[in-house]
């Protein structure tokens, strides 16, 4: 046994882990692997100390640790043994005879099913240049003001309250500020009790899908609707149906045809700037959609992901602002206001629904970041966010105009588009002969990210189209990016 342990144990003196813990951990591993079976007698502390060339006190400490953990048992006058109460473990075959266990950290020993609807690449920032999905320019964000507000929340006030558990619905102060802000800018009539703070729109969609949908329910979405929403609907067991989109938004006549054929539980819509095409839902269709909701009893989930960014006239008010029947759930996010790193969104609805969804939020995310939420409340209260938005709208409008002009000059033979009234991206349809997947791959070699169009298939008709975001790039970066695409084409 002494020779066996000598061969299997090694000691790194001066390492980060104390030597007695190194020895204890290695012996425990040998027991778990079945190399040391229950009832085996270990060498004396003196023998093991001499063999490993360490002080006897270190071996005593190691044995004491293993005794405390239950791996060993000691009998006075008889020695120390591997605990007899442990189950007998078969000695494993050498690793080279079991190639499937080469790395248990990479491959689980149990089976599980993967779902195809979750198979979507995670977009991460990485390239120097980017014509992305329509993201803000974090370089414009009021980061210094946010930093001061966050620091203030960390240091001031009752520490037990500010650093303890809070309301699952989110910071009450932020809900107050959001309520006032949404009522003023979007014509809503909310109270703080009508608002649930989320970590972005995606959490709001998840909570609605989990709390309000049942397996087999029918959900209707615009053709080529946001994949993040569709993933949640499918995960909840719903059947997702699609209706066409034209220059005036969702085809509400096609929607009613679906309603006549089967019960519809929920309709998901990006009414202000349809995702991905950026078109707005026309006023008469808005009225029809609200009437259909009452007539057929379906929920309207209105995703207003970039309402604050409109460049021509006053934007159309949300459907939620004219909802006397309580059929609309309204969600938005400050991700597009500051940057995707700050996960602060909101879900607006009747109080009973907000209470219901807050209970679901509690089991997946006890509460949000109270420090960040209160810091955001302070910026709203002081008007800093509002001033930042006014500045951003001016800057993004200039970038939109420049970007569209650059595309007209350099890409007119390859792509077609309409200048969007708002938002942060241009819906661009490329010539069918152009391989967008290949174009995106070549662009990456030039340190430029563009989407490859794989996610943008309207119904079953490939449009060879992508969203090209302009807001996150400076004028110089936009010129360089368009130049790269022109040269590649």
């Amino acid at each position: 046994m002494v020779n066996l342990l000598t061969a299997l144990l090694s000691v790194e003196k001066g390492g980060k882990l104390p030597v007695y813990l190194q020895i204890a951990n290695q012996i425990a591993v040998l027991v778990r692997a079945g190399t040391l079976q229950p009832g085996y007698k270990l060498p004396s502390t003196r023998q093991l100390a001499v063999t490993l060339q360490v002080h006897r006190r270190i071996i005593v400490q190691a044995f004491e640790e293993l005794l405390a953990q239950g791996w060993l048992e000691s009998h006075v006058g008889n020695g120390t043994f591997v605990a007899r109460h442990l189950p007998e473990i078969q000695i494993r075959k050498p690793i080279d005879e079991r190639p499937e266990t080469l790395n248990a950290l990479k491959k689980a020993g149990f089976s599980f099913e993967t779902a195809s609807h979750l198979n979507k690449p995670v977009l991460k920032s990485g390239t120097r240049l980017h014509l992305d999905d329509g993201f803000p320019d974090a370089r414009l964000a009021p980061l210094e003001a946010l930093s001061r507000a966050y620091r203030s929340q960390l240091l001031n006030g009752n520490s037990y309250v500010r650093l303890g558990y809070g309301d699952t619905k989110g910071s009450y102060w932020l809900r107050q500020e959001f309520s006032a802000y949404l009522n003023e800018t979007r014509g809503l009539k909310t109270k703080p009790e009508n608002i649930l703070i989320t970590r972005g729109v995606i959490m709001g969609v998840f909570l609605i899908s989990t709390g309000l949908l049942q397996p087999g329910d029918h959900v209707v979405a615009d053709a080529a609707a946001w994949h993040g929403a569709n993933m949640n609907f499918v995960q909840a067991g719903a059947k997702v149906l699609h209706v066409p989109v034209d220059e005036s938004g969702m085809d509400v006549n096609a929607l009613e045809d679906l309603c006549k054929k089967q019960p519809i539980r929920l309709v998901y819509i990006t009414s202000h700037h349809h995702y991905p095409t950026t078109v707005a839902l026309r006023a008469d269709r808005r009225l029809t959609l609200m009437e259909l909701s009452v007539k057929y009893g379906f929920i309207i989930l209105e995703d207003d992901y970039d309402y604050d960014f409109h460049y021509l006239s006053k934007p159309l008010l949300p459907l939620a602002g004219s909802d006397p029947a309580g059929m609309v759930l309204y969600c938005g996010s400050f991700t597009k206001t500051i940057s995707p790193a700050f996960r602060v969104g909101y879900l607006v609805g009747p109080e009973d629904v907000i209470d219901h969804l807050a209970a679901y939020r509690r089991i997946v995310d006890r509460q949000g970041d109270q420090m960040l939420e209160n810091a955001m409340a302070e910026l709203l209260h002081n008007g800093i966010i509002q001033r930042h938005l006014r500045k951003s709208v001016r800057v993004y409008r200039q970038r939109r105009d420049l970007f569209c002009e650059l595309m007209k000059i350099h890409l007119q033979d390859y792509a077609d588009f309409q200048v969007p009234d708002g938002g942060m991206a241009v819906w661009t349809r490329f010539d069918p002969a152009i391989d967008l997947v290949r174009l995106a791959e070549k662009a990456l070699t030039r340190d430029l990210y563009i989407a490859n169009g794989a996610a943008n298939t309207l119904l079953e008709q490939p449009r060879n189209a992508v969203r090209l975001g302009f807001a996150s790039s400076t004028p110089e970066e936009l010129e360089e990016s368009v130049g790269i695409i022109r040269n590649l084409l």
Side-chain angles (χ1 to χ4, degrees), residues 376-434:
M376 293 293 292
E378 182 175 326
L379 298 191
L380 277 167
H381 182 77
N382 294 333
I384 294 173
I385 291 291
Q386 293 86 330
R387 290 194 293 275
H388 166 66
L389 281 170
R390 290 194 291 270
K391 172 187 174 183
S392 297
V393 168
R394 290 195 301 270
V395 171
Y396 295 159
R397 178 175 180 170
Q398 293 170 354
R399 293 181 180 181
R400 178 205 64 173
D401 293 344
L402 172 63
F403 183 59
C404 290
E405 185 62 25
L406 289 169
M407 290 211 295
K408 286 179 182 177
I409 294 173
H410 300 292
L411 303 180
Q412 60 179 336
D413 294 334
Y414 309 102
D416 180 42
F417 65 93
Q418 296 293 324
V419 179
D421 294 339
M424 299 180 178
V426 177
W427 178 243
T428 308
R429 297 171 297 276
F430 282 84
D431 187 296
I434 295 173

Side-chain angles (χ1 to χ4, degrees), residues 14-50:
K16 292 183 179 180
L17 198 66
V19 172
Y20 84 93
L21 279 181
Q22 295 179 37
I23 296 171
N25 290 346
Q26 291 177 66
I27 292 176
V29 168
L30 293 174
V31 175
R32 285 196 296 267
T35 305
L36 301 180
Q37 291 287 348
Y40 280 169
K41 183 178 180 180
L42 272 67
S44 69
T45 55
R46 190 182 307 278
Q47 286 178 298
L48 204 52
V50 171

Side-chain angles (χ1 to χ4, degrees), residues 166-171 196-197 357-363 365-368:
D167 195 327
T168 303
K169 297 177 186 176
S171 156
L196 172 64
I197 305 300
L357 297 181
Y360 280 90
R361 189 256 170 83
R362 183 177 183 179
I363 64 175
D365 186 19
R366 170 58 178 79
Q367 66 188 53

Side-chain angles (χ1 to χ4, degrees), residues 23 47 62 69 80 83 119 168 204 206 210-211 216 232 264 294 301 305 315-316 325 342 352 383 386 406 451 477:
I23 296 171
Q47 286 178 298
Q69 293 182 19
T80 303
N119 187 21
T168 303
F206 170 80
T210 304
N232 277 283
I264 301 298
V294 175
L301 172 51
Y305 63 98
L316 292 167
F342 298 101
D352 59 345
Q386 293 86 330
L406 289 169
E477 290 166 345

Side-chain angles (χ1 to χ4, degrees), residues 192-247:
E193 291 72 23
N194 297 117
I195 298 175
L196 172 64
I197 305 300
T198 63
R199 294 185 186 270
V201 168
I202 192 72
M203 175 180 272
V205 177
F206 170 80
L207 293 175
I208 290 169
S209 301
T210 304
L212 299 178
L213 296 180
Q214 296 293 328
D217 281 347
H218 290 91
V219 171
V220 177
D222 287 325
W226 180 41
H227 187 73
N230 284 340
M231 281 196 300
N232 277 283
F233 303 145
V234 174
Q235 181 65 28
K239 298 178 180 178
V240 181
L241 308 173
H242 292 99
V243 292
V245 174
D246 58 25
E247 65 278 0

